[in-house]
Amino acid sequence: MSILVVLIPPRPRLGPAAADSAATASSGTEFSYVLSPDGLSVGAQGRCAASLLPRADSVAAVLSDCDVGWHRITLPKAPRAKMRAALVGLLEEALLDEPDVTHLAFAPGASAGQPTWVAAVHKPWLASHLAVLEKANRSVERVVPAAWPDEIPVGHFSEGPEADGSTEQMNLVWSDAQGVACLRLQGTLARTLLPGQGADAARWTATPAVAAPAERWLGAPVIVLSAEQRALQATRTLWNLRQFDLAPRHRGARALRDAWLRWLSPAWRPVRWGVVGLLALNLVGLNLWAWHQRGAIEAKQQAMVELLRKTYPNVRAVIDAPVQMQRETESLRAAAGKPGENDLEALLQAAASAWPPDRPPVEMLRFEPGRLTLAATGWTPEQVAQFRSQLRPAGWQVEFDAGRLTLTRAAGGAA
């Protein structure tokens, strides 16, 4: 599953450009991007206008470190529709911008009544960049921060706008369980703010341009990580700032698509292999069970054939053993002069056993093999019902129509 990672340009804060930061994104705005074929490795990278960005299965936007503010709160117990208003009420005094121009998003998996992190972003500025990408048919499914509060401390060195290879022109982004801090390395402020024990256990990275001075400042080796590689790594977080009024439309279809893309992601490859293995195992098991059942049926059929041949040696060709067995048994019974269950004697005996005592002898009858019709003129419904109920337990079926009783053997009835 390919993914296009778009790096949103940092929001201007100084000079005339900062006066109207919501208008900084236009059709001519250029974006740095990373195209990954699998979400793990960098396939292509570059910088171009939104209309020239390459196509991919999914698109994610990454915000720079200093464009996201972080606030630690207890998530209020409020309906989803009123959650943003509740967050604004809690953070109104802590926000640097007006609530109307501030976009808020809470952490993934946050529960009401529990402490959580809330990200704050300048909404008009972010919305303008998303609109430019949407207009270029690059639908952004996720907006993620480059750094976020986490239990594992991470420090990243990058060059400043006028980098000359000195530590004074380097920036440091520090993130841990206490939040995210963007620091300049001038003076001793950065060393003062970094926790000693936490800094020793941190994961340190740096862009290629400042890797050497960063190692000198830190006194330890760092992992060289370009801005594009770091942005690709950021997309693996569960954070998604597209919430509330910046949430993507068509949530149902998009949710299904996101679930399908997540299913195709490399992280789910072991699960996919497990499902395929389980399906293959079930298929093999069903085939083995069907083979076993087929063998059991063939064994029973062979036993019926052997029984027929042993019982009736005169039968040469066996086509349908049960039918031939029934036919041979009926022949022997007829030859011995014994009535069968579908003969006239058996039908008359059954009718006589249930004949009402207040009815005269039958005036007319008609016999067909397995079927006896008796005249029942003048019978009341109660007499017919009693006649039927007495014969039903013995496996006989009685029908009454136009003054006639028809007696037959019920399907599956006993003799």
Side-chain angles (χ1 to χ4, degrees):
M1 182 191 71
S2 61
I3 179 173
L4 174 65
V5 183
V6 180
L7 285 71
I8 303 298
R11 177 188 168 203
R13 288 174 172 79
L14 298 176
D20 189 10
S21 56
T24 56
S26 63
S27 58
T29 301
E30 292 189 345
F31 297 88
S32 298
Y33 70 87
V34 182
L35 180 62
S36 173
D38 53 7
L40 299 175
S41 59
V42 176
Q45 62 186 38
R47 182 179 179 85
C48 62
S51 58
L52 301 178
L53 290 171
R55 300 282 182 176
D57 295 328
S58 64
V59 181
V62 179
L63 303 183
S64 61
D65 303 286
C66 298
D67 287 331
V68 184
W70 299 97
H71 303 276
R72 185 70 169 174
I73 65 167
T74 298
L75 191 66
K77 297 180 180 180
R80 182 77 180 185
K82 299 181 179 179
M83 179 58 72
R84 186 186 182 280
L87 293 178
V88 170
L90 288 176
L91 297 172
E92 186 172 6
E93 296 182 358
L95 297 177
L96 298 180
D97 290 322
E98 293 296 327
D100 294 341
V101 298
T102 302
H103 173 66
L104 301 176
F106 53 82
S111 301
Q114 298 296 324
T116 188
W117 284 99
V118 173
V121 185
H122 192 272
K123 181 163 59 175
W125 166 81
L126 176 58
S128 67
H129 285 83
L130 294 178
V132 170
L133 294 172
E134 294 283 349
K135 187 176 181 179
N137 294 323
R138 303 301 189 272
S139 179
V140 178
E141 290 119 14
R142 299 177 61 215
V143 175
V144 300
W148 57 91
D150 199 355
E151 295 295 332
I152 301 175
V154 177
H156 178 72
F157 296 94
S158 61
E159 61 272 22
E162 299 177 357
D164 57 2
S166 63
T167 57
E168 286 76 10
Q169 297 298 329
M170 285 195 307
N171 296 328
L172 171 62
V173 177
W174 173 260
S175 60
D176 58 8
Q178 304 301 319
V180 178
C182 299
L183 306 172
R184 296 293 297 271
L185 298 188
Q186 295 175 345
T188 60
L189 178 62
R191 295 187 184 276
T192 303
L193 294 179
L194 289 181
Q197 186 175 3
D200 294 337
R203 177 176 179 267
W204 294 97
T205 61
T207 57
V210 298
E215 290 182 346
R216 290 195 300 268
W217 185 88
L218 185 63
V222 298
I223 301 173
V224 178
L225 198 66
S226 66
E228 290 77 14
Q229 292 173 325
R230 184 168 178 251
L232 181 60
Q233 286 188 359
T235 60
R236 300 171 196 168
T237 179
L238 296 178
W239 274 93
N240 186 6
L241 304 186
R242 295 210 69 172
Q243 301 179 23
F244 304 116
D245 48 352
L246 290 187
R249 299 179 181 179
H250 310 295
R251 295 181 181 177
R254 191 177 297 274
L256 291 176
R257 182 172 181 270
D258 291 345
W260 175 249
L261 294 176
R262 191 179 304 113
W263 168 258
L264 296 178
S265 65
W268 283 74
R269 186 178 292 117
V271 180
R272 293 198 300 271
W273 279 110
V275 171
V276 171
L278 182 61
L279 292 177
L281 183 61
N282 281 321
L283 183 60
V284 172
L286 288 175
N287 285 326
L288 290 176
W289 178 252
W291 175 79
H292 172 73
Q293 291 293 98
R294 191 185 313 96
I297 293 174
E298 291 176 354
K300 290 183 179 181
Q301 291 175 343
Q302 188 62 31
M304 291 167 53
V305 171
E306 294 297 328
L307 178 61
L308 174 61
R309 287 176 174 174
K310 290 180 180 180
T311 306
Y312 302 104
N314 59 319
V315 177
R316 303 290 181 140
V318 179
I319 300 175
D320 191 339
V323 173
Q324 291 175 278
M325 176 77 76
Q326 180 69 22
R327 187 184 303 121
E328 294 296 326
T329 302
E330 289 293 330
S331 298
L332 290 178
R333 180 192 57 74
K338 294 183 178 181
E341 62 179 23
N342 290 324
D343 288 344
L344 177 61
E345 291 85 350
L347 291 168
L348 286 176
Q349 183 178 2
S353 65
W355 196 262
D358 55 345
R359 298 302 305 174
V362 64
E363 299 175 355
M364 183 275 295
L365 62 85
R366 185 176 63 186
F367 171 74
E368 300 173 9
R371 185 182 184 90
L372 179 63
T373 302
L374 305 172
T377 305
W379 281 46
T380 63
E382 291 77 10
Q383 290 175 331
V384 174
Q386 182 179 3
F387 185 80
R388 182 182 289 117
S389 62
Q390 290 183 3
L391 292 179
R392 185 182 297 114
W396 296 100
Q397 181 176 348
V398 177
E399 297 180 0
F400 180 76
D401 183 34
R404 295 181 180 181
L405 290 169
T406 301
L407 181 64
T408 56
R409 173 67 63 181

